[in-house]
């Protein structure tokens, strides 16, 4: 998968991709990340890409022409499965959305900033708008990092143990069961006997029961129409 990220802060962004699983995905050539500094597409001497909103009001708006020039430069090179814009009024990111995106070849993600972008870019170029939650971030960079993290870890081969991504919370509509590692007892706090029993069928059943119980307690809305 190739992801092109359009941002005003490529340095801030690149940090996220230089460690851990996101780095491993790139080292294995399973994911290719390219940053594009929107300042390079400025039409002014000062490198600005924003302007005052028509009609007045506080804040600045990212202008249509620099954004379109950058998007079209990239579209000349390849076809994109989605041109994504990160915005608080977008569709809420979910595990199923990440699953779908992880099957794509080429994604472009435009990180919003200021008050937003000129609506004409949304109308004519953006194919998907994603929010990562009902709160307002200073910019779309963190949202883009979250989207990329959830998507890239799902690409087959990125996580060594395939089971590990499949047994994540939300992957089956449930939150994950509790996990333990050594030692079997710490300050008198014991690991449940069943996990030490070696009986894999019983352990799987226990994990499933725990996942159901936890989901009921913590995220009951996930069970609606599922197990009720
Ligand atoms: N930009 C600002 N706030 C955001 C949010 N909650 N999700 C995605 N992009 C954003």
């Amino acid at each position: 998968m190739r992801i092109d990220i359009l941002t005003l802060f490529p340095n801030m962004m690149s940090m996220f991709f230089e460690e851990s699983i996101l780095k491993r995905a790139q080292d294995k050539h399973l994911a290719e990340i390219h940053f594009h500094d929107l300042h390079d597409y400025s039409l002014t001497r000062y490198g600005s890409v924003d302007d005052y909103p028509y009609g007045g009001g506080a804040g600045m708006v990212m202008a249509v022409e620099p954004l379109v020039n950058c998007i079209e430069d990239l579209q000349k090179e390849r076809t994109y499965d989605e041109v994504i814009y990160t915005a608080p009024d977008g569709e809420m990111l979910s595990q199923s959305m990440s699953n779908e995106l992880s099957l794509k070849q080429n994604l472009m993600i435009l990180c919003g900033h200021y008050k937003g972008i000129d609506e004409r870019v949304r109308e004519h170029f953006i194919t998907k708008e994603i929010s990562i939650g009902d709160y307002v971030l200073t910019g779309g960079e963190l949202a883009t990092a979250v989207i990329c993290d959830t998507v890239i870890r799902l690409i087959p081969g990125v996580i060594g143990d395939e089971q590990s991504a499949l047994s994540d919370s939300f992957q089956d509509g449930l939150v994950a069961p509790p996990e333990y590692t050594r030692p079997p007892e710490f300050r008198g706090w014991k690991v449940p006997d069943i996990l030490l029993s070696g009986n894999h069928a019983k352990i799987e059943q226990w994990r499933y029961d725990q996942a159901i119980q936890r989901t009921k307690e913590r995220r009951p809305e996930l069970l609606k129409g599922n197990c009720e």
Side-chain angles (χ1 to χ4, degrees), residues 196-212:
L196 310 176
S197 69
N199 184 331
H200 293 292
K202 283 202 166 146
I203 290 172
E204 276 319 297
Q205 184 61 49
W206 179 87
R207 285 188 165 143
Y208 181 71
D209 293 344
Q210 290 285 317
I212 295 276

Side-chain angles (χ1 to χ4, degrees), residues 86-88 130-133 135-137 139-140 143:
T86 55
I130 303 180
S131 165
I132 63 161
Y135 40 77
V136 178
L137 298 163

Side-chain angles (χ1 to χ4, degrees), residues 7 15 41 56 92 104 110 121 149 162 194 206 214 221:
T7 169
M15 223 173 56
Y41 290 83
M92 197 67 75
K104 308 289 187 194
L110 168 59
V121 179
D149 188 293
E162 297 290 323
I194 185 87
W206 179 87
R214 284 207 156 183
E221 78 281 8

